[in-house]
Amino acid sequence: MRARVLIRPKAGILDPQGQAVERALPALGFTGVSEVHVGRLVELEVQDESQLPAMCERLLANPLIEEYEIQTGHTAAWGERASEEGTAA
Amino acid sequence: MRARVLIRPKAGILDPQGQAVERALPALGFTGVSEVHVGRLVELEVQDESQLPAMCERLLANPLIEEYEIQTGHTAAWGERASEEGTAA
């Protein structure tokens, strides 16, 4: 089954990437943007989804400073959603 | 409004992080995992969601090698979903 893991810095943990994006956007003319946070996205095909929390704890995320969210039930494989929201080229 | 942008390497583009994860998982005892891809997650509060595609094209993603997916309608702020799927500690 297809699974997706969203990993983000925990609230209160420094997020320098998010800060950098938040500062860069106004310089490019984008206003009204706040609370920018940057994390990681892991998509994978897994036979036993019950392994996912352990995989997150042991490899995918750093549970000391990151929180993770597991989403399952996505059936589209990598690349199949390319035209869904936008892929420039 | 709260928005989320999922950014991943386009199909066919080298994904060394995904390969590294895919190789590391069996060594930790996790089997049956394949097609691992690692991308970025950006969550932000934006007043005008029509700006999001341009923000992706110009700053958040590299449209030459990455595809992005914009999700809106998430109302939870950063950190509010901490206990939804799992936050260790």
Side-chain angles (χ1 to χ4, degrees):
Chain A
M1 103 162 16
R2 199 78 200 150
R4 180 186 279 175
V5 180
L6 308 181
I7 302 159
R8 18 178 129 69
K10 282 186 184 178
I13 298 288
L14 197 64
D15 180 4
Q17 285 188 89
Q19 292 177 349
V21 169
E22 193 163 331
R23 287 176 195 166
L25 285 169
L28 292 172
F30 300 107
T31 55
V33 180
S34 60
E35 294 184 51
V36 183
H37 296 279
V38 177
R40 290 196 308 288
L41 163 71
V42 181
E43 292 190 337
L44 66 173
E45 184 73 33
V46 61
Q47 282 174 14
D48 177 8
E49 65 175 303
S50 70
Q51 290 187 319
L52 283 167
M55 285 167 46
C56 288
E57 299 281 335
R58 295 189 57 199
L59 182 70
L60 302 181
N62 179 345
L64 289 177
I65 59 169
E66 293 172 325
E67 63 179 44
Y68 59 85
E69 182 182 334
I70 296 168
Q71 300 179 338
T72 52
H74 301 280
T75 53
W78 197 266
E80 287 177 13
R81 285 176 304 259
S83 57
E84 191 176 280
E85 278 282 355
T87 301
Chain B
M1 101 162 17
R2 199 76 198 150
R4 178 185 280 174
V5 181
L6 308 181
I7 301 159
R8 20 176 129 70
K10 282 186 183 178
I13 298 287
L14 197 64
D15 180 4
Q17 284 188 90
Q19 292 177 350
V21 170
E22 194 163 331
R23 287 176 195 166
L25 285 170
L28 292 172
F30 300 106
T31 55
V33 180
S34 60
E35 294 184 49
V36 183
H37 295 279
V38 176
R40 291 195 307 288
L41 163 71
V42 181
E43 292 190 337
L44 65 173
E45 184 72 34
V46 60
Q47 283 175 13
D48 177 8
E49 65 174 303
S50 70
Q51 290 187 319
L52 283 167
M55 285 167 47
C56 288
E57 299 282 334
R58 294 189 58 197
L59 183 70
L60 303 181
N62 178 347
L64 290 177
I65 59 170
E66 293 172 326
E67 62 180 43
Y68 58 86
E69 181 181 334
I70 296 168
Q71 300 179 338
T72 53
H74 301 279
T75 51
W78 197 264
E80 286 176 12
R81 285 177 304 258
S83 58
E84 190 176 280
E85 279 282 354
T87 300

